[in-house]
Amino acid sequence: MADPARTLTADSFKILHVEDDLGDAQLLRALIPKSSTPDIHLHHVDRLHEALRFLRKHSVDLIFLDVELPDAVAIKFDVVALRRCSRAPIILMTGMNRDSVSSALDRHPSLGYENKNMLTTERLTALVEKHAAKPAETRTDQPVRDDALQLENLLNSISDAVIVIDENAKAHWANDAGWTLLEQDWIDDLKNALSQRGAMPSGLVVDIANRSGGTSTRYEAKIDPFRGVDTDHLMIVTLRRLRD
């Protein structure tokens, strides 16, 4: 494998590994150099939100995704979140058998599956070489088409900021307008407002600070349940700026 410090070229094969288990991450890093594919660049993160942040700035050719990350919601939801940022093939990495993730694989035919407990040098190198064999300009995957992505497209089409949070006010997804507020660390302001209420309200007014400018903007927040399989613990927060 090429020196990771080398300058990336158009032909570099870029892999993102999303894995919170350090041992599994080190194993994959140790096996990948055994591939005959030249100029492989591997980037590792241990949280889904870190993967999303990375993919918003960098393109990759292949994604290895642990399905049991600490900040994961459900495979269906996580894949849609990744697809907002990348069309690279996604390989689900798990110690569970294939039947345990069959619904996700059936719903997203573009997904791959590898059992961590059965991962060998031969299996991994064959997988990398299969995807690396494609010309660089064609290393893209087709968009996932399902109900969750249709919802995502709908939410992205509106001007209000929309963020999906859990019962602890941890953000899992945001539309384009919502990303702007997430980058301002607005979630701390929402947590403080919720803690003062003591329960998840249907709506509230929250002042979101602009960390760099030292000012704040007042928003009206509407909170609705996110209905769906494996996502009934989530809430959709719609934030509309209140005019002075």
Side-chain angles (χ1 to χ4, degrees):
M1 184 170 68
D3 183 347
R6 282 184 52 184
T7 301
L8 290 173
T9 69
D11 293 325
S12 299
F13 188 71
K14 301 174 287 295
I15 300 174
L16 175 63
H17 187 200
V18 193
E19 170 62 68
D20 68 308
D21 186 294
L22 184 58
D24 289 337
Q26 291 176 334
L27 175 61
L28 190 138
R29 183 172 291 278
L31 293 179
I32 278 186
K34 301 181 184 298
S35 169
S36 61
T37 301
D39 199 13
I40 296 178
H41 292 257
L42 177 66
H43 183 78
H44 168 252
V45 296
D46 62 3
R47 295 293 188 273
L48 181 66
H49 73 271
E50 292 178 358
L52 296 174
R53 184 181 297 115
F54 179 81
L55 290 172
R56 292 180 68 210
K57 298 180 180 179
H58 307 278
S59 64
V60 299
D61 301 301
L62 184 62
I63 299 172
F64 289 110
L65 175 65
D66 178 21
V67 302
E68 297 177 288
L69 296 165
D71 61 342
V73 181
I75 297 174
K76 173 181 177 180
F77 201 82
D78 300 341
V79 169
V80 169
L82 288 171
R83 279 286 177 259
R84 295 188 70 237
C85 305
S86 175
R87 295 292 180 248
I90 298 173
I91 309 298
L92 301 182
M93 304 290 284
T94 176
M96 300 183 290
N97 60 42
R98 191 183 186 91
D99 290 342
S100 301
V101 294
S102 60
S103 61
L105 295 173
D106 292 342
R107 186 180 297 114
H108 304 299
S110 63
L111 294 180
Y113 162 85
E114 284 296 324
N115 190 309
K116 295 179 184 180
N117 300 325
M118 301 176 63
L119 191 64
T120 63
T121 301
E122 292 74 17
R123 290 178 68 89
L124 181 63
T125 55
L127 187 62
V128 170
E129 290 163 8
K130 170 187 172 182
H131 291 283
K134 299 179 181 180
E137 63 272 14
T138 64
R139 292 180 196 152
T140 57
D141 201 6
Q142 294 300 312
V144 174
R145 300 188 182 279
D146 63 13
D147 293 341
L149 189 58
Q150 292 176 21
L151 172 64
E152 171 202 41
N153 291 334
L154 173 63
L155 296 178
N156 272 328
S157 69
I158 66 177
S159 58
D160 292 336
V162 180
I163 301 99
V164 175
I165 64 172
D166 59 24
E167 61 271 18
N168 297 314
K170 181 171 68 175
H172 293 276
W173 181 89
N175 69 351
D176 291 339
W179 273 116
T180 301
L181 294 184
L182 285 174
E183 290 172 347
Q184 296 178 15
D185 296 327
W186 75 275
I187 197 68
D188 290 335
D189 299 311
L190 180 61
K191 285 181 180 178
N192 292 334
L194 291 174
S195 64
Q196 294 174 12
R197 296 291 293 267
M200 187 65 70
S202 60
L204 74 163
V205 173
V206 56
D207 292 318
I208 297 176
N210 183 333
R211 306 299 189 219
S212 59
T215 61
S216 63
T217 303
R218 178 158 291 185
Y219 287 84
E220 178 185 19
K222 179 182 178 183
I223 304 175
D224 298 296
F226 189 111
R227 302 300 185 189
V229 179
D230 298 328
T231 57
D232 58 0
H233 64 296
L234 301 175
M235 276 69 68
I236 299 176
V237 180
T238 305
L239 289 155
R240 176 167 296 177
R241 181 174 178 176
L242 295 176
R243 302 298 178 185
D244 297 331

